[in-house]
Amino acid sequence: MKIATYNVNGINGRLPVLLKWLDQSKPDIVCLQELKAPQEKFPIEEINAAGYQAIWKGQKSWNGVAILSRGYEITEVQNSLPGNPDDVQSRYIEAIINKVVICCLYLPNGNPYPSEKFEYKLEWIKRLKKRAKQLIKMDLPAIIIGDFNIIPKEIDVYKPEKWTNDALFRKEVRKAFSDLQKQGWIDTIRLLNPDKQIFTFWDYMYKSYDRNAGIRLDHILLSPYLSSSIDHCGIDSEVRGWEKTSDHAPVWISLKK
């Protein structure tokens, strides 16, 4: 089973890119972030024509998350992160697919630091850690996947010294990512590439992609239940070089049957 995450940065404006990648890569499950489309504007007909069913939670102009499935039924669990009923931002959707809990997230950016946006990011992470701990205690096959807006370590960023006070690299959020790992969640991309500098995002400015001046923001965390199922993984970095593409690249893992 091939499971992927992709921050599409506007699903309707970049739909040709998404459909081309789906046709080439053929993932079984896809978690999308930053749809930038209201609920009724999600291109479900085109997604269905590509062979996928979907659940999604849109939001006008920004945010938005979706889960696509090819060949497996989707049972939606919830479409918001528990713990704050006043939070109306579309950043989390959870489903059960092929007996695996899929938690698709678009964690807040948090910039600038310090600011209310950064405090919101920390509050959101606190709720995520609580939900993640619940799933660990249930001893389920589960995956937390998406754009975390967290750079876990120095190896995950080009010129880390320039990011010290950026909300993506602040010590508070890096500790939070480490805390998830201490719960038992497995950073699959890093596990299979322990010493390799890997990026999943390249800014549109300064020819960042051409210079490979990137950062690793998109992560796939597996519960211990799935540790023996890990097969291989990849970053489809060439997609970042396509015309009118997202500033993120798709990230995927393959699980053994």
Side-chain angles (χ1 to χ4, degrees):
M1 186 165 63
K2 186 176 183 180
I3 305 166
T5 178
Y6 187 20
N7 179 321
V8 291
N9 193 16
I11 190 166
N12 287 304
R14 308 192 197 280
L15 187 58
V17 172
L18 174 62
L19 295 177
K20 178 181 176 181
W21 170 71
L22 288 174
D23 181 61
Q24 291 187 3
S25 184
K26 292 181 171 55
D28 299 295
I29 300 170
V30 184
C31 292
L32 301 176
Q33 305 87 41
E34 210 169 352
L35 304 179
K36 293 182 177 178
Q39 189 74 7
E40 67 276 11
K41 295 295 184 180
F42 185 85
I44 187 60
E45 292 184 5
E46 292 86 346
I47 295 298
N48 288 162
Y52 291 84
Q53 55 180 301
I55 59 171
W56 68 94
K57 187 176 182 182
Q59 187 169 359
K60 186 178 180 180
S61 300
W62 65 84
N63 301 332
V65 286
I67 302 176
L68 280 53
S69 176
R70 182 171 63 96
Y72 299 106
E73 291 297 319
I74 307 176
T75 302
E76 183 174 320
V77 177
Q78 53 192 343
N79 61 14
S80 63
L81 186 63
N84 184 357
D86 296 326
D87 185 4
V88 297
Q89 296 193 26
S90 301
R91 294 185 173 276
Y92 185 88
I93 191 165
E94 183 178 315
I96 298 174
I97 303 176
N98 194 26
K99 300 180 180 179
V100 178
V101 180
I102 305 292
C103 307
C104 170
L105 62 81
Y106 176 42
L107 204 145
N109 179 287
N111 276 308
Y113 168 84
S115 69
E116 291 184 1
K117 290 183 178 181
F118 186 71
E119 294 305 315
Y120 169 61
K121 180 174 189 171
L122 294 182
E123 186 271 339
W124 206 95
I125 290 173
K126 183 177 180 180
R127 287 188 280 138
L128 175 63
K129 287 166 64 176
K130 183 177 180 180
R131 179 57 180 155
K133 188 174 182 179
Q134 291 172 344
L135 292 170
I136 290 290
K137 287 185 176 181
M138 293 178 193
D139 193 26
L140 296 169
I143 303 174
I144 302 177
I145 178 172
D147 179 357
F148 281 65
N149 269 317
I150 296 176
I151 305 169
K153 296 182 178 181
E154 290 189 352
I155 193 175
D156 299 312
V157 55
Y158 175 79
K159 293 188 176 181
E161 65 276 7
K162 293 187 175 183
W163 292 78
T164 304
N165 283 320
D166 191 285
L168 307 179
F169 197 53
R170 278 290 304 175
K171 60 183 180 181
E172 296 92 337
V173 298
R174 293 169 65 190
K175 180 182 182 301
F177 193 87
S178 177
D179 288 344
L180 287 172
Q181 292 177 287
K182 289 176 182 178
Q183 288 183 0
W185 294 95
I186 302 165
D187 180 0
T188 316
I189 303 300
R190 182 54 63 207
L191 175 71
L192 299 181
N193 300 274
D195 303 312
K196 185 178 180 181
Q197 191 170 55
I198 294 175
F199 301 141
T200 65
F201 170 94
W202 298 261
D203 197 286
Y204 289 125
M205 300 176 66
Y206 313 118
K207 296 186 177 181
S208 297
Y209 178 70
D210 295 335
R211 297 185 296 113
N212 197 31
I215 51 181
R216 187 170 77 101
L217 295 178
D218 306 89
H219 309 302
I220 303 175
L221 304 185
L222 267 60
S223 68
Y225 191 103
L226 292 170
S227 60
S228 61
S229 300
I230 299 171
D231 189 4
H232 55 283
C233 66
I235 315 292
D236 292 341
S237 56
E238 70 280 1
V239 177
R240 175 60 181 83
W242 292 356
E243 186 178 356
K244 296 182 180 180
T245 192
S246 171
D247 41 12
H248 292 253
V251 181
W252 57 268
I253 60 167
S254 178
L255 298 180
K256 302 172 187 176
K257 294 183 179 180

